[in-house]
């Protein structure tokens, strides 16, 4: 399984949804699982990004499906970054 970092920013609609239904965050994580990925870690952050999520998926196509499906709802904008552990990077450099 590959690891990806999802950086998310809520739209005005997303902020309104979160305010009226805070449990929606957990529901979205279940949606991610139904799309074939798993949220390993997630943080709410201040600044440019509202959330930082570490997601595991079998391949790039799966995480792309997650990003597009969540972004299509209009409540968030997502930037997806593939991530390597330091050991994976060092092995690739050998």
């Amino acid at each position: 399984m590959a690891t990806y970092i999802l950086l998310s920013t809520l739209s005005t609609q997303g902020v309104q949804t979160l305010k009226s239904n805070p449990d929606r965050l957990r529901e979205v994580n279940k949606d991610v699982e139904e799309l074939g990925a798993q949220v390993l870690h997630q943080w709410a952050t201040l600044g440019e990004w509202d959330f930082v999520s570490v997601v595991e998926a079998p391949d790039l196509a799966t995480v792309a499906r997650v990003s597009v499906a969540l972004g299509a709802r209009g409540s968030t904008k997502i930037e997806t970054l593939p991530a390597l552990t330091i050991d994976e990077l060092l092995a690739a450099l050998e």
Side-chain angles (χ1 to χ4, degrees):
M1 292 282 248
T3 303
Y4 302 89
I5 309 298
L6 275 61
L7 304 172
S8 307
T9 301
L10 295 176
S11 66
T12 302
Q13 173 188 341
V15 172
Q16 291 170 350
T17 299
L18 181 60
K19 186 175 179 181
S20 66
N21 182 11
D23 288 332
R24 183 68 185 126
L25 286 173
R26 294 196 200 308
E27 294 169 12
V28 170
N29 290 347
K30 289 178 187 175
D31 294 344
V32 169
E33 288 183 16
E34 290 175 6
L35 292 165
Q38 181 181 9
V39 177
L40 301 177
H41 304 283
Q42 191 169 49
W43 298 272
T45 57
L46 301 175
E48 183 177 351
W49 305 104
D50 295 318
F51 297 97
V52 175
S53 304
V54 178
V55 174
E56 193 172 64
D59 51 41
L60 187 57
T62 300
V63 80
R65 181 172 55 243
V66 168
S67 293
V68 169
L70 297 181
R73 296 175 180 179
S75 60
T76 189
K77 177 185 170 198
I78 301 172
E79 183 171 340
T80 304
L81 307 170
L84 297 172
T85 66
I86 296 302
D87 288 339
E88 290 170 326
L89 175 63
L90 294 174
L93 297 175
E94 292 179 349

